């Protein structure tokens, strides 16, 4: 019994020395990756076993040959243990990182939902209150002169149209997020889509004295669904017009690279804060107050900050991508789509 106690004490002392060194190493490496920490833990564990066996074998006065056999056996087992541990440490680290990213993504999605509800509630509350007030005034015959009655009717129609567009945006976004968007792809001349979008944005641009500049030639043909592509171009143009100060310029051009067609919309809005650039395509994101358009400057009330989120969703559904970058006096949105063979 005394011999067993001595063996245990010797093995424990060796393991404690290794454990202390391992604890110090982990403290020094506390800022490193999960993989490093797991590998260090495995190394400490295996080394503690090896040290305990070596100390006990030495204390048992084994022959040189027997001691060598014991150490070789333990070293082989330690090598396999460390190799397997390192392999699974990488997998565990990758799984931990993926889980952390998934939680962060879920938090962003949940925050986006909350922001969307807040923005939509805000954008619906004001026009609904106005509609109710005007409807009650007409119903109670508070206003009787034909000119005021006609103005109330016009404003009711305008507010109804705005809320209808908001509902359409929400429906479109829900289809994109649910994966229920079905595209009918065909060869679409990008120049024709741009021409129609320019015609739609022209009245708002003229009212704000903003110049719309477009290339006359060089437009490629893309593989896309024409209604969705038209919405993308229209959203980008209207977004640029709304954020560009009066007497500014919005330029749209396009072309073709080796593997894709591209379309770019550049404005003179003054640029987007660098911290906001990665978030401009998020649902309900409107940025700082200075970049939040007011109803008086041509902003389509009830948009809910969905326009660019819809652009990204539609472009990604086409297998393309959309990016934004700052220029000297504004920003530039670039859309890339698969091009046809012609």
């Amino acid at each position: 019994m005394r011999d067993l106690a001595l063996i245990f004490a010797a093995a424990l002392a060796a393991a404690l020395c290794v454990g202390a060194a391992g604890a110090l190493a982990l403290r020094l490496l506390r800022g490193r990756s999960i993989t490093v920490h797991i590998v260090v833990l495995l190394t400490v564990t295996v080394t503690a076993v090896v040290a305990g066996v070596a100390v006990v074998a030495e204390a048992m006065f084994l022959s040189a040959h027997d001691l060598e056999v014991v150490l070789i056996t333990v070293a082989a087992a330690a090598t396999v243990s460390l190799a397997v541990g390192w392999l699974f440490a990488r997998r565990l680290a990758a799984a931990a990182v993926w889980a952390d990213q998934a939680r962060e993504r879920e938090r962003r999605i949940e925050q986006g939902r909350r922001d969307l509800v807040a923005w939509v509630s805000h954008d619906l509350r004001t026009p609904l209150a106005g509609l109710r007030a005007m409807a009650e005034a007409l119903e109670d015959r508070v206003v009787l002169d034909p000119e005021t009655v006609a103005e109330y009717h016009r404003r009711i129609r305008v507010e109804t149209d705005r809320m209808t567009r908001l509902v359409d945006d929400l429906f479109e976004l829900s289809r994109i997020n649910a994966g229920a968007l079905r595209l009918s792809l065909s060869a679409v001349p990008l120049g024709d889509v741009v021409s129609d979008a320019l015609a739609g944005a022209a009245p708002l641009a003229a009212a704000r004295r903003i110049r719309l500049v477009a290339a006359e030639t060089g437009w490629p043909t893309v593989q896309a669904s024409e209604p969705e592509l038209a919405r993308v171009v229209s959203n980008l143009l209207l977004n640029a017009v709304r954020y560009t100060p009066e007497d500014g310029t919005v330029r749209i051009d396009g072309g073709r690279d080796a593997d894709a067609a591209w379309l770019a919309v550049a404005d003179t809005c003054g640029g987007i804060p660098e911290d906001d650039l990665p978030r401009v395509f998020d649902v309900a994101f409107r940025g700082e107050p200075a970049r939040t358009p007011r109803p008086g400057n041509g902003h389509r009330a009830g948009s809910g900050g969905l326009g660019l989120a819809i652009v990204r969703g539609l472009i990604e559904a086409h297998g393309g991508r959309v990016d934004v970058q700052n220029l000297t006096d504004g920003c530039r949105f670039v859309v890339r789509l698969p091009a046809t063979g012609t």
Side-chain angles (χ1 to χ4, degrees):
M1 190 68 181
R2 182 173 178 276
D3 292 340
L4 292 178
L6 289 174
I7 291 173
F8 176 78
L12 180 62
L16 285 175
C17 291
V18 174
L24 178 60
L26 286 173
R27 182 176 180 82
L28 295 175
L29 297 173
R30 60 182 178 271
R32 303 297 294 274
S33 66
I34 298 176
T35 303
V36 172
H37 283 78
I38 295 177
V39 169
V40 171
L41 284 172
L42 289 171
T43 303
V44 170
T45 303
V46 173
T47 306
V49 173
V50 173
V53 171
V55 168
V56 171
E58 181 69 25
M60 292 174 65
F61 301 104
L62 297 178
S63 66
H65 177 268
D66 291 344
L67 180 59
E68 184 178 354
V69 170
V70 170
L71 294 179
I72 290 175
T73 303
V74 173
T79 300
V80 173
S81 299
L82 289 175
V84 174
W86 177 79
L87 176 62
F88 281 94
R90 294 189 62 185
R91 293 186 178 182
L92 287 173
V97 171
W98 179 87
D100 185 64
Q101 292 174 344
R103 286 192 295 270
E104 181 61 29
R105 183 166 58 250
E106 187 64 28
R107 282 194 292 267
R108 289 199 304 268
I109 292 173
E110 182 61 27
Q111 186 61 45
R113 291 194 188 102
R114 294 175 182 173
D115 291 343
L116 177 60
V117 171
W119 280 117
V120 171
S121 300
H122 175 270
D123 285 344
L124 286 177
R125 187 181 298 113
T126 300
L128 283 174
L131 287 173
R132 181 181 180 86
M134 287 184 287
E136 289 178 349
L138 292 172
E139 184 179 14
D140 296 340
R141 304 180 67 81
V142 174
V143 292
L144 295 175
D145 61 289
E147 184 176 347
T148 304
V149 170
E151 175 62 18
Y152 275 30
H153 285 152
R154 186 192 68 81
R155 289 169 59 185
I156 289 174
R157 179 184 57 78
V158 169
E159 295 298 337
T160 303
D161 289 343
R162 288 173 175 173
M163 288 189 290
T164 300
R165 285 194 291 267
L166 174 58
V167 173
D168 289 343
D169 285 349
L170 289 170
F171 177 70
E172 188 74 16
L173 194 62
S174 67
R175 287 204 304 157
I176 293 171
N177 292 336
L181 187 64
R182 298 292 178 264
L183 301 177
S184 179
L185 301 180
S186 61
V188 179
L190 189 55
D192 294 346
V193 176
V194 170
S195 178
D196 292 340
L198 286 170
L204 177 59
R208 306 196 61 236
R209 300 196 301 275
I210 293 174
R211 295 178 296 277
L212 296 178
V213 181
E216 296 183 0
T217 60
W219 296 102
T221 299
V222 297
Q223 194 71 18
S225 174
E226 187 167 357
E228 282 73 20
L229 181 59
R231 183 159 195 171
V232 166
V233 178
S234 177
N235 280 10
L236 288 176
L237 268 177
L238 291 175
N239 182 75
V241 170
R242 292 185 192 112
Y243 285 117
T244 299
E246 292 187 358
D247 298 317
T249 301
V250 173
R251 177 181 297 274
I252 180 169
D253 52 11
R256 181 169 179 169
D257 294 335
D259 57 347
W262 59 272
L263 173 137
V265 177
D267 57 42
T268 53
C269 68
I272 301 173
E274 292 295 329
D275 292 342
D276 289 348
L277 279 176
R279 302 178 55 202
V280 294
F281 296 104
D282 290 351
V283 173
F285 179 74
R286 290 178 173 178
E288 61 182 20
R291 282 188 51 80
T292 301
R294 297 176 296 276
N297 68 358
H299 169 56
R300 187 183 74 183
S303 67
L306 304 180
L308 293 179
I310 291 174
V311 166
R312 181 176 62 179
L314 293 177
I315 291 302
E316 290 179 351
H318 282 83
R321 72 177 191 273
V322 57
D323 301 298
V324 60
Q325 63 188 44
N326 279 326
L327 303 175
T328 303
D329 56 351
C331 59
R332 185 172 186 256
F333 289 83
V334 181
V335 171
R336 296 188 180 276
L337 287 168
T340 62
T342 56

